[in-house]
Amino acid sequence: MFTLFRPELAAYAQGTLAEQRRLHDGGWQPGELHSLQMERAAETIRYARANSAFYAARLSGVTVPAAGPVSPQDFASVPFTTKDDLRADLFDVMSQPIDRAWVYYETTGTTGRATPCPRDERDSIVNNTALTLAYEKIFAQHGERHVVAVMGPTELHSTGDTFGDVLRNLGHTVVKMWPHSPVVGFPRALALLEQLGVTAIVCTPGMAISLAKAARAAGIDLHGRLSVRLILTLGELTSPAMLENLGALWSAAVYNCMYASQEASIMAACHADGRLHTVPLNNLIEVIDPDTGLAVEAVGGVREGELVVTHLYRGAKPLVRYRTGDLVRLFAEPGSVSEVMQPIGRTRDALHLAGRRVTAFDLEQTLFTHIRGVIDYFLLIDEDDGQDLVTVNLEPVDEAAGAAIDRVAIRRAVADAFHVACEVVLGSMDAITSTGAMVSWKAARIHDRRGSGAEPERAAALAIAAGRGTR
C-alpha cells in the first residue's frame, strides 16, 4: 500500500512486475538478458562506489564506463566481497544511511559478528515480486484460499515481513508465530494451527520436525486434527529425499521454497515444478572453485562450486561479487535463461569420509532415499581401526515405523556411496537438531569425533539447544 503514497515507487514496481512476468513467460532471449545484466552490474558498481565507504575503497581501481555496460573481462577483475568483509566493515558497506531504509534486519550472529542487512523499498519490490510470481502456482495447486503460519526465527529476521508481503499479494491469510518464543511456545502454536485451520506453513525443516515431535507428545494427530496440506521450507539445506520424508510425516506437499540469505536476499525461488530457479533479473550469478577463486566451467550442462552473486538493483546495501560461502550445482535449463539451482552445503560444512570430500546434500540424499517414517536424525562419525565409522541415529515416528526401517539397506547404501562402515541406531534426538538454520547443517546434524580440539559451531549449536530446552 505504501506505493500509493510514493508514485515513483509505484512506477518502479509496475516495471519490475512487467520484467519478471516476461521472465516467467519465457520472453527474454539469452543475448538480450546478458546485455541487460552487464549494464545493471555496471550501474551497481557505480552506485556502490559512489555511496558506500567500503566499496569506494574496494572498487577504486575497477574499470567501468561512466555510462553503459561493464565488459565481461573488466567485471571478472572486480575483487570479491566476503563474509569477513561484511563483519569487519559493517555499516560502511551500506550504500544508503539507515534512515533511508524502510526496515532494518541483521544476521543472527551465532557463528560470527552480526552484520547489518537493511532493506529499502526497492530491495523489497524486486525480491518479493520474484517470490510472488514463483509461489502463485504452488499455492494454487493446493487450494484457492490459504491460512498460512509463517515461522520466522527472530524479530530481526526478514522472514515474517517478506512472506507477509508475498502472501498478501497472493490474497492469503498470514499468521506470524515463532514456537520457540517464550510468549508463543509449541502448545499455543499447535493450538493455533488447529483453531485457525492453518493449511500451509512456512518454516525451516528443523521446525517442521520440532512441530511434529510436539504434536506427537501432545497426542495430536497430524493427519486428522490438523489441516496442513502445504509446507514451504527454507533456511536449511534439504535434500529431495528429506522433503519426501517430511511430506509423508505431515501428509502434505513439501517444497524447498527458496535459496536466500539475510545478506544477499533471494537468489533462487521454487516454482510449481518443485525446483529452485535462479532470478537472473535480480542477480548476476557466478560459480567459482572455492579454493582458487577461478570460474568453474560447466560439465554436462552443470556447474558446481561456490556461489558468487552481484545484485542488479540499487537498494540499501547492494553487494558486488559476493562470495556466499555456499556450494551449489547449477543446471542449464533448455529454453530458459534461468538455471535450476541445487544447494549442496556450505563450504565450511565440508566433510571428509574415507579420504574423499562429501557434500551435505549427497549424504542426506543417500540416507533418506532408504528411510521413511523418521521424525529426526543425527550422525556420529568415529574412527575404528583406521576406518571411518558413521553411526546413523534415527528417531522413528512410532514403533511400527521403527520396525519397518531396513537397517541393512541403509548400511549398504552408506558403505557403497562413501566407502565407510555404518551402523544404524534408533532412539530420541535432543534439541541440537533444530538449530540448523541458526548455525549450520553440519553443527546440527553431525558430531565428528575423529579430530581433536573444540568445534566452535557445534558449541554454538549446543548453546542454542540448551536455551530452547528450558522453555
Side-chain angles (χ1 to χ4, degrees):
M1 182 176 176
F2 70 88
T3 57
L4 293 176
F5 300 91
R6 302 281 295 280
E8 76 284 4
L9 289 174
Y12 182 78
Q14 290 291 343
T16 299
L17 177 59
E19 286 189 347
Q20 296 283 5
R21 281 202 185 281
R22 185 181 169 198
L23 178 68
H24 276 255
D25 294 340
W28 286 93
Q29 297 302 311
E32 179 189 19
L33 178 65
H34 178 72
S35 296
L36 183 68
Q37 286 181 318
M38 289 295 99
E39 182 175 336
R40 290 187 176 171
E43 291 175 358
T44 298
I45 291 171
R46 289 190 291 264
Y47 172 76
R49 188 162 59 185
N51 295 285
S52 161
F54 168 78
Y55 279 123
R58 179 59 59 91
L59 303 179
S60 61
V62 171
T63 300
V64 61
V70 62
S71 72
Q73 296 77 17
D74 288 335
F75 183 77
S77 68
V78 174
F80 292 118
T81 304
T82 67
K83 287 181 182 289
D84 287 340
D85 292 328
L86 302 187
R87 288 169 178 154
D89 288 82
L90 296 175
F91 292 91
D92 282 347
V93 183
M94 293 165 48
S95 290
Q96 293 179 9
I98 194 66
D99 63 4
R100 291 185 60 189
W102 85 265
V103 67
Y104 176 83
Y105 306 123
E106 62 183 29
T107 56
T108 59
T110 52
T111 58
R113 196 177 184 185
T115 59
C117 302
R119 308 275 170 83
D120 72 359
E121 290 90 344
R122 291 185 178 224
D123 290 310
S124 294
I125 287 170
V126 165
N127 287 283
N128 295 357
T129 297
L131 291 181
T132 300
L133 293 176
Y135 296 161
E136 184 174 22
K137 290 183 179 179
I138 291 178
F139 277 93
Q141 288 175 338
H142 302 281
E144 182 179 351
R145 299 282 302 172
H146 289 275
V147 178
V148 187
V150 178
M151 300 180 179
T154 73
E155 294 84 351
L156 287 170
H157 201 276
S158 60
T159 300
D161 290 333
T162 296
F163 277 90
D165 192 23
V166 168
L167 294 168
R168 183 167 58 244
N169 293 342
L170 295 174
H172 303 304
T173 303
V174 176
V175 186
K176 296 181 184 179
M177 65 175 80
W178 177 228
H180 284 301
S181 163
V183 176
V184 179
F186 280 86
R188 182 60 181 149
L190 289 169
L192 285 172
L193 294 183
E194 183 175 5
Q195 291 168 356
L196 302 178
V198 168
T199 58
I201 300 174
V202 177
C203 65
T204 66
M207 178 55 73
I209 290 170
S210 295
L211 280 168
K213 286 184 177 182
R216 183 179 62 175
I220 296 174
D221 181 8
L222 293 178
H223 309 278
R225 285 173 58 180
L226 301 185
S227 304
V228 176
R229 56 181 182 266
L230 173 63
I231 299 177
L232 301 184
T233 69
L234 72 171
E236 296 175 30
L237 177 135
T238 314
S239 64
M242 180 59 164
L243 292 177
E244 290 180 14
N245 184 75
L246 285 174
L249 184 65
W250 278 86
S251 294
V254 186
Y255 296 81
N256 181 17
C257 71
M258 66 167 65
Y259 168 74
S261 72
Q262 284 281 79
E263 303 99 332
S265 295
I266 309 301
M267 291 165 279
C270 187
H271 287 207
D273 63 4
R275 300 182 299 169
L276 293 171
H277 294 254
T278 60
V279 190
L281 288 169
N282 293 6
N283 307 294
L284 180 58
I285 281 178
E286 304 171 77
V287 180
I288 64 170
D289 182 308
D291 297 322
T292 67
L294 298 177
V296 170
E297 297 294 329
V299 177
V302 181
R303 293 186 289 162
E304 178 175 327
E306 182 181 354
L307 185 70
V308 176
V309 61
T310 297
H311 290 143
L312 300 180
Y313 51 93
R314 292 172 289 171
K317 186 183 173 182
L319 299 176
V320 178
R321 299 200 81 197
Y322 174 60
R323 293 185 64 158
T324 62
D326 291 338
L327 298 172
V328 299
R329 293 181 183 130
L330 284 177
F331 300 82
E333 183 76 349
S336 174
V337 293
S338 295
E339 294 175 282
V340 172
M341 181 183 292
Q342 189 179 80
I344 57 177
R346 299 182 184 180
T347 55
R348 70 172 185 260
D349 283 351
L351 181 68
H352 288 84
L353 294 176
R356 298 189 306 165
R357 185 186 180 105
V358 175
T359 70
F361 177 93
D362 291 335
L363 183 54
E364 185 175 271
Q365 179 70 7
T366 298
L367 283 173
F368 277 87
T369 298
H370 302 275
I371 297 172
R372 289 295 180 273
V374 167
I375 204 166
D376 210 349
Y377 80 102
F378 186 78
L379 307 179
L380 291 174
I381 303 178
D382 297 285
E383 188 175 341
D384 184 28
D385 291 333
Q387 182 181 17
D388 291 336
L389 170 64
V390 176
T391 301
V392 181
N393 295 271
L394 304 173
E395 183 175 347
V397 174
D398 50 36
E399 289 186 8
I405 291 174
D406 190 339
R407 303 188 193 203
V408 173
I410 296 170
R411 288 198 296 265
R412 183 182 300 120
V414 172
D416 289 348
F418 307 112
H419 308 290
V420 296
C422 177
E423 296 294 339
V424 180
V425 176
L426 305 186
S428 298
M429 306 292 114
D430 58 29
I432 192 172
T433 59
S434 70
T435 66
M438 300 292 286
V439 186
S440 75
W441 173 90
K442 186 177 180 181
R445 295 291 177 191
I446 290 180
H447 186 191
D448 188 345
R449 301 190 290 199
R450 294 171 298 177
S452 59
E455 298 177 72
E457 289 196 344
R458 178 170 169 77
L462 286 169
I464 294 171
R468 288 176 174 176
T470 64
R471 298 193 181 109

